[in-house]
Amino acid sequence: MVAEQELQRRLRALFGEELQDGLQLLAPGLLALESGADQVATGELVQELFRSAHSLKGAAHAAGVSEAVAICDRLESALAAVRDGAQAADSTLVTELLAEVDALTAVSTALQRGDSRPEPRPAAAPTMEPQADPPAVPAATGAAPPSWRVSAQSVHEVLSRAAEGLVAAQRVHGVLEQATRAAEQVELARTTARTALRDDALRRSAPGLDAALAEAVRAVTGLTRSVEAADRALHHTSSGVAEAAQRLRTQPFADACTSLDRAVRDVAASGGKSARLVIQGEEVDVDRGVIASLRDPLLHLVRNAVDHGLETAQARALAGKPEVGTVEVIARLEGSLLHVTVADDGRGLDLDRLREAALDRGVPVPADEMELPFVPGLSSRDEVTDVSGRGVGLDAARARIEQLGGSLTVSSEPGAGMQVDLRTPVTLAVLRVLLVRAGQQVVALPTSTVEGVREIDRQKLREVGGSAVLTLDGRSRRAVALSDALSFSGGGAGAVDGVRMGLVVPRGSDLVLVTDGLLDEREVAVQPVPERLAGAPGVLGVALLEGGLPAIVVNPVAVGRGAPPLAQPAARDDEARAPRVLIAEDTVTTRALERSILEAGGYSVAVAVDGLDAWEQLQRDGADLVVSDVDMPRMNGIELCRRIRASAQLRTLPVVLVTSLDAPEDRQRGMEAGADAYVVKGELQQGTLLDAVARLL
């Protein structure tokens, strides 16, 4: 009895694996069948789908999974009717068959959970009668290459050992470098000795010294050559083993896209739209772990592209676009990185709507407005559907990508569409990393998450809203100490006290990380996250360096996002600077008057021609105080004040509103927007402006 139960368990496990493989074919195949125009190709596809359903039915019979037997029988009968010309492969039939595939997916999920009696979801019955005796499956033409099923744990162990071999090869290379230096030192000692032995007395007192040194040089040189040969052989072997082991756990990128066709079809149909999906780079080989982690983010992004981005056919026609919208998923390799682009030709991001939603909810507006789509709970939709409206798509996708040690960035052009770029390591076992020091700890940052590194003077930092800010490449970035972000001691603020700072610029972020030293760039074998660090944001694992030194592998974007800002050290007397005041005024005469008053008061003054110009300057250069007119084109002073108060970096920035209106309701309107002071233009030359600015600074 026990043996029979064990046999049944093994049969069900094997069927579960076969079912997962079959599902990879059925859903995409049915979608291709619906859009097929080539009768010959359609006939071959129908036959392939029929064989798959027939094979799964036989396997389900053997495993005793009666629910799957019934589903596969209905699929088989429907496909036989299509093959024989009794049924058209139209959208109605494909929808019914996709429902059957959904039911099979439920059975597969239940089997993975270990349910003894998996219950499928109910599926719509096909319109044709089942065929009593399905025809025999034709024999396959051509022998398939042999294959074996290997447990994921075994593959992981092989890959881990191969990765450790790479690290060992790096250590041997370090020994080679030491041996080479030793040979150079012995040769130098021999040259020095030979020079000294020109003295007759010294030569007589040390007979044979030159010969001994020559023998030492030959010995060390021979040892160096042996180590060099071993280094080459070990590097060649370890690299080959690592590449072969990596192939054991790679899959084509196409496996991450199996559900995307269905998603585009269903979301477009529910929204009354027409859409098509274009996938490029399906043949790119990627780590199985990366493939598994990409499926949900790609599904989020594609569904959002159709639901939020693409317009209806009528709206697209009015905009001069093709009635059928396009969503593209493009994968390509960039060295050790996988770069995936998800793009649509829809309306683009509605940043104004997202900003209004943030202000309505009292959510701080990020300084970089391209971060608005990632704010949890924000959506450009007023209504909630099963696809959108809850504001979780992009935020969830980015979180999943960052767990891989990757990055996700968004770009958009109004009326032309939106593009999301994902970058992740190709493999999770061996990562190319940048080694830096944070306090007393060595930290490894995947190069997929790093835009660049810099070393700059401390004086480049400036204070905005109580935080240290740095302008790089024309963009203002908040400075965060990596040791503070990781709660390490011995670093952080101390890193800013030196003349030079080592900086890491994370990809797709408005941060810059201050390190306690930039060390090296190399490949490392990544081990699982230790228990003491489990659940820590951004921690991806641990890598062992030479001598067993551990390095924590982290995603700098994820750890830096929630880190406290780096406090700018108090300026020394020789570094004291005048407070910077930004004037936003569209009238040339008033702007010149305000500037002359403030400069006479000892302030450094910058000017903006309206509220939008001022907002852009604040994000780029910062300021200690803003003086703004109320009535201006593009963005008025009230809206500028609201944006400042909603910004995480600028919310404490003092704002003085200047206007020609002195009615109580106008003052109340300014105060409700968050202004700190209200000055009437007629009182500018009476010292009122200087008094207000001095009081706030």
Side-chain angles (χ1 to χ4, degrees):
M1 177 64 71
V2 174
E4 184 178 341
Q5 289 177 345
E6 176 61 19
L7 175 61
Q8 189 65 21
R9 185 193 66 78
R10 290 179 59 191
L11 287 173
R12 292 172 72 87
L14 287 172
F15 171 66
E17 293 176 352
E18 288 188 51
L19 181 54
Q20 290 182 52
D21 292 341
L23 288 170
Q24 298 291 320
L25 168 67
L26 287 172
L30 289 171
L31 292 171
L33 181 64
E34 181 182 36
S35 60
D38 187 329
Q39 291 186 354
V40 174
T42 297
E44 293 175 352
L45 178 58
V46 170
Q47 187 64 21
E48 185 180 9
L49 293 171
F50 175 86
R51 283 197 297 265
S52 179
H54 183 76
S55 298
L56 287 175
K57 186 174 77 169
H61 266 303
V65 185
S66 57
E67 297 86 349
V69 173
I71 298 168
C72 291
D73 186 67
R74 293 195 294 269
L75 280 169
E76 189 181 49
S77 299
L79 290 166
V82 174
R83 180 198 59 198
D84 298 338
Q87 173 71 42
D90 55 19
S91 295
T92 301
L93 177 66
V94 171
T95 298
E96 293 171 354
L97 297 186
L98 285 172
E100 299 286 9
V101 172
D102 289 342
L104 269 183
T105 302
V107 172
S108 175
T109 302
L111 288 171
Q112 291 178 57
R113 290 198 306 262
D115 292 358
S116 58
R117 296 284 296 173
E119 294 293 337
R121 290 177 292 184
T127 56
M128 70 295 298
E129 292 296 322
Q131 190 172 358
D133 297 309
V137 180
T141 58
S147 62
W148 297 270
R149 291 190 181 274
V150 182
S151 70
Q153 180 62 30
S154 297
V155 174
H156 178 73
E157 288 177 3
V158 170
L159 196 57
S160 295
R161 297 301 182 191
E164 291 170 5
L166 284 176
V167 175
Q170 290 176 348
R171 292 176 180 171
V172 171
H173 188 73
V175 173
L176 172 62
E177 292 177 345
Q178 294 174 6
T180 301
R181 286 195 296 271
E184 292 171 350
Q185 290 169 357
V186 172
E187 179 64 41
L188 178 62
R190 183 192 180 198
T191 301
T192 303
R194 295 180 75 176
T195 301
L197 289 174
R198 293 172 182 170
D199 182 271
D200 292 340
L202 183 59
R203 187 170 56 254
R204 286 192 299 272
S205 66
L209 177 60
D210 182 58
L213 286 174
E215 181 61 30
V217 169
R218 283 193 294 273
V220 174
T221 301
L223 177 62
T224 302
R225 288 172 179 168
S226 297
V227 175
E228 185 177 6
D231 175 61
R232 285 197 302 268
L234 181 57
H235 179 76
H236 176 76
T237 302
S238 59
S239 298
V241 171
E243 290 174 5
Q246 179 59 34
R247 286 195 292 270
L248 287 176
R249 55 174 289 160
T250 58
Q251 291 177 271
F253 176 73
D255 289 352
C257 305
T258 52
S259 60
L260 301 186
D261 271 313
R262 176 78 180 275
V264 169
R265 177 186 187 274
D266 292 349
V267 176
S270 67
K273 301 176 181 179
S274 297
R276 68 186 186 107
L277 177 68
V278 177
I279 301 177
Q280 298 180 30
E282 295 174 285
E283 72 287 349
V284 172
D285 286 330
V286 186
D287 187 292
R288 289 175 183 267
V290 175
I291 289 290
S293 297
L294 280 177
R295 288 192 180 105
D296 282 347
L298 287 177
L299 187 60
H300 270 305
L301 296 174
V302 167
R303 286 165 62 89
N304 279 355
V306 178
D307 190 51
H308 287 278
L310 298 185
E311 311 92 333
T312 62
Q314 182 179 6
R316 292 179 65 85
L318 291 174
K321 298 181 179 181
E323 292 187 1
V324 178
T326 300
V327 178
E328 290 184 301
V329 178
I330 304 170
R332 54 192 175 276
L333 294 179
E334 296 177 351
S336 61
L337 301 182
L338 172 68
H339 181 186
V340 182
T341 298
V342 180
D344 65 74
D345 62 349
R347 61 173 63 90
L349 276 174
D350 190 348
L351 291 176
D352 291 336
R353 181 68 191 92
L354 287 172
R355 190 186 313 110
E356 290 173 7
L359 293 173
D360 290 343
R361 296 187 53 191
V363 176
V365 176
D368 182 358
E369 291 195 335
M370 291 308 293
E371 284 290 302
L372 276 169
F374 299 105
V375 177
L378 284 191
S379 176
S380 59
R381 285 290 180 85
D382 295 323
E383 72 281 0
V384 175
T385 69
D386 62 341
V387 178
S388 62
R390 295 182 174 87
V392 296
L394 280 176
D395 183 50
R398 183 166 71 174
R400 192 65 180 270
I401 295 302
E402 289 179 352
Q403 289 172 2
L404 292 174
S407 63
L408 185 153
T409 56
V410 172
S411 57
S412 177
E413 184 177 347
M418 171 174 149
Q419 177 171 311
V420 182
D421 288 287
L422 318 178
R423 285 181 173 84
T424 74
V426 173
T427 174
L428 300 179
V430 181
L431 291 181
R432 187 77 179 172
V433 298
L434 172 70
L435 296 178
V436 302
R437 187 172 295 282
Q440 303 304 312
Q441 176 70 50
V442 176
V443 177
L445 311 176
T447 55
S448 58
T449 65
V450 176
E451 183 179 307
V453 294
R454 301 285 182 86
E455 189 174 284
I456 67 168
D457 291 336
R458 178 184 69 84
Q459 287 80 2
K460 296 286 187 179
L461 286 174
R462 53 190 174 77
E463 186 178 354
V464 175
S467 300
V469 173
L470 181 71
T471 300
L472 287 178
D473 302 324
R475 181 179 177 186
S476 183
R477 295 177 181 266
R478 183 168 58 94
V480 171
L482 181 58
S483 55
D484 289 345
L486 295 170
S487 300
F488 293 160
S489 60
V496 187
D497 291 336
V499 176
R500 304 287 289 177
M501 301 184 303
L503 303 180
V504 174
V505 184
R507 190 186 299 276
S509 170
D510 63 348
L511 298 174
V512 60
L513 296 179
V514 180
T515 74
D516 296 294
L518 304 173
L519 302 178
D520 193 10
E521 182 180 336
R522 66 177 64 174
E523 287 185 338
V524 297
V526 181
Q527 304 298 326
V529 178
E531 186 175 346
R532 66 185 180 88
L533 294 175
V539 177
L540 307 175
V542 173
L544 292 180
L545 307 177
E546 292 83 352
L549 178 68
I552 298 178
V553 185
V554 303
N555 187 327
V557 180
V559 300
R561 187 174 295 120
L566 182 68
Q568 169 70 302
R572 301 192 299 266
D573 290 341
D574 59 350
E575 294 177 344
R577 63 175 181 83
R580 186 173 189 270
V581 178
L582 175 63
I583 297 173
E585 170 62 62
D586 62 318
T587 304
V588 176
T589 305
T590 305
R591 191 163 63 233
L593 174 60
E594 291 173 352
R595 181 169 192 164
S596 64
I597 291 173
L598 291 170
E599 287 181 341
Y603 297 103
S604 171
V605 179
V607 296
V609 297
D610 56 29
L612 185 58
D613 184 20
W615 175 247
E616 292 172 349
Q617 288 194 45
L618 283 174
Q619 294 180 87
R620 185 179 65 247
D621 303 320
D624 297 302
L625 181 141
V626 172
V627 174
S628 175
D629 187 16
V630 172
D631 295 314
M632 294 181 291
R634 296 206 300 172
M635 182 189 296
N636 62 37
I638 300 295
E639 176 62 20
L640 174 61
C641 191
R642 285 175 179 160
R643 285 204 187 185
I644 291 172
R645 294 294 171 254
S647 169
Q649 283 79 38
L650 303 172
R651 65 177 65 176
T652 60
L653 184 66
V655 178
V656 177
L657 290 181
V658 179
T659 183
S660 57
L661 305 175
D662 194 23
E665 57 270 23
D666 294 319
R667 287 180 178 269
Q668 181 64 28
R669 184 164 158 249
M671 295 303 109
E672 289 175 352
D676 298 281
Y678 197 90
V679 175
V680 179
K681 287 185 177 180
E683 301 173 353
L684 284 176
Q685 292 178 307
Q686 300 174 16
T688 309
L689 179 60
L690 280 178
D691 290 344
V693 171
R695 185 173 68 253
L696 294 172
L697 290 177

